[in-house]
């Protein structure tokens, strides 16, 4: 931490800051500049909040030196984490494609779609049974029955299943049926849920909060990791900006930046990030080219009758065409599919 | 709902849309314009999502006509909701000031602060026992012990208590101690928690998600109202923008706009919205002048040793001075304090 | 400037940075921490960009210590700047209200409105003759004829005139007619125009760019000040955020923060910031309560026929009622009107 | 345009709106719904602003049906525009790479870099002679001397030159030396400059304003097109969001969306969009995969001594490696390089 004093800060104010640093168990190292005094705090102050210093008389602001995460960062864990799901590896050379409907709606629907995406080359099945919906009057998912159907589709197609858990209350239930627990964008800072996911002994797909920074996403991952679960995948799914022509703005910069900062696999969700089915293919290709370890794509056999997110789901044919494109693209960026 | 067809949409596409509208139980009313056809949907289509139409061939986009909320809006409930808490009314002519520390830290701390804010004129006590923290390594609150201390301070000062509940799991516990259940910014779209608050038979202070629109805030309130709890206060607490000179950007426009759209009381949190104690007073006055029904302000007796949000907490003296200013200001905007 | 080295940066990389600091004419002060080395740069490095250091091997990032502005800040100019315009003072105890139509449309229109706002208590006349419009097909203003009409209205009502200049090409013309040169939001970083305004020997009303930070606004003011013109007023007029329920989001926090950082007067534009005439009054009151030195408000005698910004202009009656409210409010925040 | 009346709007209010529509020369088509009346406006109302209706009593809001642009859109110009620059085509099958330093700094510097990027495969030379800088104390470019050096480098390497023009005043000068006129992000809504570019008889590279929507970018292009210049290239260069880990957020969704909406070529600037040289390569690949027609990349032979944007410029070696990667990637997305 570096503490920047106001111009003309009183000697006494400087002395108080130096004092507090030492009392807190760190070493203080002041630099007396031309206009201001700056004080370096020496020691591992990662768990120390800067605010108490900001509140002291004479202090202008505090800058952190050490990054606030430990377990999620590459500094103490330089090698890529590879997560294994019944024969599918996430985070290695091969790019994983997770596909399926936004919501599980019926037995026929999920079975049809599961077979279609499997045939096109997907290796993980996605589908929502508990749906977080903006309106209390919208379809909220089939709940446990939806989980059962997902399990059945998973077994029929030999694909592991990723599905969302929206509440600590549902965690025991969802754990029982899912291979990967998805934490959705609206729950990225639901810390009780993160801790529960950390104790769940299942891989977690952590979606970025729609207005959370990359640092906050890594701190959310840190909650899961610190609770004892090392199998976390991060998912960039678009952030909220002033642009309304698309549902969200995919932060493509985040993909290579996350690969630098963390050893955890990085997945991209082009369906949520665009909200428009006809942008899903070009944006999926962009994500792969930027270095994503996987994609999670919404596919529906009858989108205009879908009970949620109809506008952004691909038909199986378009998904098949996209998979062909991705197979062509992967070797050009030194990946396999 | 109004469905805007693409330029040159095929007759068949238009027919299919007209058909689907009728099948869904509504009346279709097409307008054949110079370049495009536009189709009005007649009937209460509030619970109908626009996406299925957006996904149909020939459709360019869909605009909603009816606002998606019912219970939260003034249209069917024109009069202001006034919420009574042991003698304190929220939403009437009198402006309520809720004050107390960010976190409850000890018996002495909460008792001292409660007496100080009471003496300065606050009528509701705030304090956090379960704290949602960005880092798993930060102080997470005293939990049930904190709730007990809040209760004790509440009884000693005869002020009702507002405190945050962060998880459905904690709801039964928090209900027992709190007079008002606070749903924090990171949980505004934690729909399981909203539903639990709707069933809790206690007034709720619902904070705006830091990147949620006013429409989404009203839909979150709708979850609580629809679950049977009519006592909801809305809280504007700053939104996330590109500006980093303050912690958040207080959306002052939202205050009078909410007063137009909804009958629910509107509270403003200047502490969270600015993140800087020396901006709290002017911004509190602005909120009152803009029409807020109340303020919720962080006060700490020793901010530079506070275990959370040290930079934004007022000292009791500054809080007292602010209360004096507010007492002067209230009559100038036709309110009492 | 403080240079934060990467964890495990090579000794040679550190030596190179120390070297470059000294070569650039500053003193280097390294702090060898537990995990990283941090290097303080001693001297007035305000005009030194941090990027060259960021690009050096082993450097993680650079934090600035000194604020980048000089002339705009309070550090070397603690007292408030008061700008005098023919008998009207901006920046003193008295709050100034500038009012008039978005665009000058005709002789009758501007004369009528000028008399109406004068009578209601405005002391400066606003009106646009050169209009920056999003669409090339929209009304672009009356140009020089509009300026002549403004001048005539100004003389008839004895109010100084503020009007926008959109191009260096128009500067000589606008200078001739205007008492205050307005730089609009879309030109806040049109540096050629800022420099021209700096050389124009007229007071300047500098509007904040809709997505510019407070720091960038102060740097834009610095361009004008550094070119020799000390008479700059800053105007908060709403920033662009994700919220679309209002046209922009008024950054009310910016008002007291600017008053801390700079000695220049701070004006608020509630018309642009809300885009809705029925939010103008409460937001004007909020701005005054937050400490603004003035308001600039759009008033039109027939808003639904206005050639620009029809939705946000007040009618003279509503403006009169607002002035009454402001006269009640000003003493409660220790100002006069 | 569709005019949505408030619930319970008076008959007289509806009649007034119907009246105004007819008076304005359009046909009105009311739909009397269950709760509200909605009125369709029939005719080409593109140049009609919605605000006057929004201001009428009883009107809740107005939605536009027709897109506001004409010349920039695909609706009346379905085929791609291909812009030819001395043998280089922009907008066709082949992807163009424009490269060079942020600023021209000296004869040696620009000649060295021009040769290096040419050798690596760039076909257009970029370089700034007039630099828009946030601080008045930063290097502002070499001006006309910089233009002369660019011209010399252009002739030596047989590459056309793109360079920024920041003011109408400089337009005649820059026109003389440049092959492509760049309008920078801070000037995207400098309408005087757009009009001047429209009259300049040179191709224009129009950068997206850092906080402008896609619709606003198309309207800015419309200014140039409507002034008689059909040779406009659009450039996505990152938008301003809450994320500060990168300089801007590249809006990758905008690339395929622009390709749908407009016939104009779409270029991406990964240097500005990321602000970090080590993210330029993955983001360049993403842009190509998403369908960009070209890239504009900053390359410097000695980045840590660069006079501007040091952190984001590639060294010639890294640029060469990126070009190799792009050559591998282009055929996988059906493009050539």
């Amino acid at each position: 931490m570096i503490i920047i004093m106001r111009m003309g800060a009183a000697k006494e104010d400087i002395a108080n800051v130096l004092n507090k640093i030492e009392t807190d168990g760190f070493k203080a190292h002041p630099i007396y500049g031309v206009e201001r005094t700056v004080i370096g705090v020496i020691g591992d102050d990662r768990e120390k909040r800067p605010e108490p210093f900001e509140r002291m008389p004479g202090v202008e602001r505090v800058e952190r030196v050490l990054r606030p995460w430990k377990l999620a960062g590459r500094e103490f864990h330089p090698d890529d984490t590879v997560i294994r799901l019944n024969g599918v590896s996430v985070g290695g050379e091969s790019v994983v494609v997770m596909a399926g409907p936004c919501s599980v709606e019926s037995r026929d629907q999920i079975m049809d779609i599961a077979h279609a995406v499997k045939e096109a080359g997907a290796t993980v099945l996605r589908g929502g049974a508990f749906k977080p919906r903006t309106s209390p009057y919208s379809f909220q998912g089939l709940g446990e029955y939806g989980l059962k159907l997902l399990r059945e589709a998973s077994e029929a197609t030999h694909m592991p299943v990723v599905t969302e858990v929206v509440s600590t209350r549902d965690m025991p239930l969802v754990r029982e049926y899912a291979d990967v627990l998805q934490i959705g964008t609206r729950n990225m800072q639901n810390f009780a849920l993160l801790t529960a996911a950390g104790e769940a002994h299942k891989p977690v797909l952590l979606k970025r909060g729609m207005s959370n920074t990359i640092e906050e996403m890594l701190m959310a991952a840190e909650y899961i990791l610190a609770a004892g679960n090392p199998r976390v995948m991060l998912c960039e799914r678009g952030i909220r900006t002033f642009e309304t022509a698309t549902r969200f703005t995919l932060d493509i910069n985040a993909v290579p930046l996350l690969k630098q900062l963390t050893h955890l696999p990085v997945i991209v969700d082009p369906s949520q990030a665009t909200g428009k089915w006809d942008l899903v293919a070009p944006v999926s290709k962009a994500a792969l080219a930027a270095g994503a370890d996987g994609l999670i794509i919404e596919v529906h056999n009858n989108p205009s009758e879908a009970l949620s997110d109809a506008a952004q789901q691909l038909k199986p044919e378009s998904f098949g065409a996209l998979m062909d494109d991705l197979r062509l693209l992967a070797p050009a960026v030194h990946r396999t599919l």
Side-chain angles (χ1 to χ4, degrees), chain A:
Chain A
M1 217 148 43
I2 286 170
I3 296 164
I4 298 166
M5 303 300 294
R6 286 181 202 274
M7 199 172 83
K11 278 192 183 170
E12 195 197 328
D13 292 342
I14 296 172
N16 286 338
V17 171
L18 296 174
N19 226 354
K20 180 168 165 56
I21 292 169
E22 307 276 343
T23 312
D24 286 356
F26 300 96
K27 279 193 61 177
H29 186 129
I31 307 179
Y32 300 100
V34 175
E35 288 178 18
R36 282 151 203 265
T37 297
V38 165
I39 306 169
V41 177
I42 300 182
D44 181 355
D45 57 4
R46 249 189 213 87
E47 302 183 13
K48 192 94 203 126
R49 304 289 302 168
E51 289 90 353
F53 289 105
E54 287 177 357
R55 200 59 176 74
M56 293 181 77
V59 172
E60 188 175 289
R61 64 186 202 278
V62 181
E63 300 285 350
R64 285 205 306 228
V65 170
L66 301 183
R67 300 188 182 284
W69 57 80
K70 280 180 183 166
L71 303 172
R74 279 211 191 266
E75 300 186 334
F76 301 99
H77 187 317
D79 294 334
D80 285 354
T81 286
V82 178
I83 297 171
R84 271 164 243 285
L85 316 166
N86 320 345
V88 180
S89 288
V90 185
E93 192 198 326
S94 180
V95 173
V96 64
V97 179
M98 310 177 181
C102 178
S103 302
V104 181
E105 296 169 11
S106 72
R107 194 174 178 285
D108 280 1
Q109 178 240 24
I110 187 66
M111 293 302 278
D112 277 8
I113 298 172
H115 282 289
V117 300
K118 167 81 177 187
E119 198 174 323
T123 50
V124 177
L125 179 64
R126 63 147 290 155
F130 293 93
K131 299 298 305 172
R133 300 304 296 273
T134 303
S135 167
Y137 310 122
S138 296
F139 173 66
Q140 309 270 324
L142 295 181
E144 184 169 6
Y145 178 57
L147 294 174
K148 282 187 207 292
L149 295 179
L150 271 175
R151 195 73 252 151
E152 195 182 334
S154 159
E155 275 157 27
T157 55
H158 306 291
M159 287 190 288
V161 157
V162 55
T163 195
E164 182 164 353
V165 53
V166 298
S167 164
T168 50
R169 202 186 45 204
D170 306 330
M171 183 59 89
L173 189 67
V174 179
R175 275 202 72 239
E176 206 180 310
Y177 292 96
D179 299 296
V180 180
L181 300 165
Q182 180 179 313
I183 308 279
T185 186
R186 290 169 184 79
N187 282 313
M188 196 204 82
Q189 291 195 318
N190 180 337
F191 302 114
L193 189 61
L194 295 176
T195 303
E199 294 162 353
H201 299 293
K202 288 267 175 169
V204 177
L205 180 77
L206 176 66
K207 291 198 152 187
R208 180 176 181 180
M210 63 180 77
S211 66
N212 286 112
T213 61
I214 289 172
E215 179 172 320
E216 288 166 344
M217 178 159 48
L218 290 171
M219 292 311 287
E222 193 85 7
Y223 262 91
I224 304 172
L225 299 169
N229 186 347
R231 291 185 293 168
V232 179
M233 310 166 208
L234 303 174
C235 181
E236 163 58 39
R237 48 75 69 207
I239 58 174
R240 187 160 266 189
T241 69
F242 63 82
E243 179 57 78
T244 57
T246 48
R247 192 168 174 196
F248 294 98
T249 299
L250 181 73
D251 181 2
I252 195 80
N253 293 351
V255 175
L257 185 57
L258 281 169
K259 295 301 295 177
Q260 284 177 15
L261 296 174
T262 181
H263 51 88
L264 300 170
V266 176
I267 310 296
V268 169
D269 180 340
S271 307
Q272 292 290 336
T274 62
K276 290 179 184 274
W277 71 271
D278 52 3
L279 299 180
V280 168
V283 168
S284 295
K285 287 186 261 182
L288 179 49
D293 296 307
L295 297 165
I296 179 163
I297 297 177
E298 295 185 9
V299 179
H300 197 285
N301 49 0
N302 187 6
S304 61
E305 294 301 324
L307 297 178
S308 57
D309 285 354
Q312 73 201 27
Q313 305 200 51
L314 287 185
K315 290 187 189 171
E317 308 82 86
S318 310
F319 177 68
L322 169 57
M323 289 299 292
D324 290 344
D325 280 1
L326 294 176
R327 264 185 290 266
L328 194 60
L329 182 59
V333 292
H334 314 295
R335 301 295 285 257
T336 58
L337 194 73

